[in-house]
Amino acid sequence: MPGAVRTEAIVLRSIRYGEADRVLHLYTPARGRVGAIAKGVRRARSRFGGRLEPFFRVALILYEGRGELLTVTSAETVSAHPRLREHHGSLDAAARACDAVARLFDSGDPNPAAYHLLANQLGLLDAAPARAGRANQLAFRLKLLLAAGLGPQLEACVSCGDREHLSGFSGAGGGVVCSACEASAFGLDAEAHHFLVAALAEPLIRAPTAPERALAQAERAIRETLEHHAHVRLRPAAVA
Ligand SMILES: [Zn+2]
């Protein structure tokens, strides 16, 4: 059923194709991952201008034919995020955020929460590029876990339900464990536990920070949860 599709989208990747075209990896609120082709976009007088570069948030009209790729017929800028491109740290964080969404949400299943989270993260990196750093990226990833239905249990031991003596994290169990159940877990300091709780509770703009040692443990908790439950491996969060 060929036809026009109107959607907002964030450009995750943009790959040169042929003489003047680009193949775009898009993330959309209602269709999840979408592949599209923008014809003639690399010509100097292209009607798309520079609007189909990575990290642009755009309002698109796509033509859906029988092929796998949709064709971009119209593109308006919702947000270009120009400031995040001026700093290495925020540019790198934006690339890692798009990469994380691409890997964790690689199907056409819609996940509006993941879309809005990515839009928020890019908006934050544009408004406050100095916020880019490991703590910001881990807070973003934790919220992605939640959007994917993989939010870790942090209130009680995943093995026995004890609410005290929480001193480890089990990726396989999907949350914290107590000292009696620690066998298959790694040690999680109170500071790391507090970071995980606060990062999930607070909006991205107020995400907490923590010492490197605690952030390293938090990153390991996220990594092992993803590897175990989603079979996804992300690039390390940058140490800014
Ligand atoms: Zn226990």
Side-chain angles (χ1 to χ4, degrees):
M1 36 155 203
V5 177
R6 282 173 191 275
T7 183
E8 236 195 50
I10 291 168
V11 181
L12 302 177
R13 290 186 70 194
S14 167
I15 301 156
R16 286 160 178 255
Y17 184 78
E19 295 258 306
D21 305 344
R22 282 186 181 278
V23 169
L24 307 173
H25 293 193
L26 305 169
Y27 199 72
T28 69
R31 288 181 160 233
R33 276 281 292 277
V34 169
I37 187 159
K39 291 184 176 158
V41 68
R42 280 157 53 215
R43 294 209 173 92
R45 285 177 292 115
S46 165
R47 67 207 149 106
F48 300 127
R51 286 189 287 273
L52 296 172
E53 299 292 323
F55 320 134
F56 267 72
R57 182 176 176 180
V58 285
L60 300 177
I61 302 176
L62 303 165
Y63 177 79
E64 185 167 36
R66 289 196 176 74
E68 209 171 298
L69 294 175
L70 283 70
T71 304
V72 181
T73 57
S74 160
E76 298 296 331
T77 303
V78 175
S79 187
H81 303 122
R83 284 174 301 270
L84 79 74
R85 294 158 207 278
E86 294 169 8
H87 304 269
H88 174 75
S90 47
L91 192 61
D92 184 65
R96 284 171 205 259
C98 286
D99 186 64
V101 168
R103 286 178 199 232
L104 191 50
F105 302 94
D106 62 351
S107 72
D109 297 336
N111 191 318
Y115 179 82
H116 292 298
L117 188 56
L118 180 60
N120 272 348
Q121 170 74 339
L122 295 177
L124 174 65
L125 291 171
D126 187 59
R131 293 290 295 264
R134 195 179 192 184
N136 159 267
Q137 288 186 46
L138 294 178
F140 172 72
R141 288 179 185 191
L142 272 167
K143 291 173 186 300
L144 272 191
L145 282 186
L146 204 60
L150 296 174
Q153 179 178 318
L154 300 172
E155 307 77 37
C157 175
V158 291
S159 187
C160 74
D162 195 342
R163 291 182 170 267
E164 286 171 47
H165 316 296
L166 301 171
S167 58
F169 189 95
S170 165
V176 290
V177 293
C178 74
S179 45
C181 299
E182 222 184 56
S184 66
F186 66 86
L188 192 76
D189 293 347
E191 283 175 317
H193 187 196
H194 179 76
F195 175 83
L196 293 174
V197 171
L200 278 173
E202 295 288 342
L204 266 181
I205 188 91
R206 286 204 300 273
T209 188
E212 277 303 316
R213 178 186 155 84
L215 292 181
Q217 291 176 357
E219 180 159 9
R220 184 170 173 190
I222 294 167
R223 185 175 67 238
E224 292 193 6
T225 301
L226 277 174
E227 285 178 1
H228 216 276
H229 297 283
H231 309 289
V232 165
R233 197 163 203 155
L234 300 184
R235 294 155 66 193
V239 183

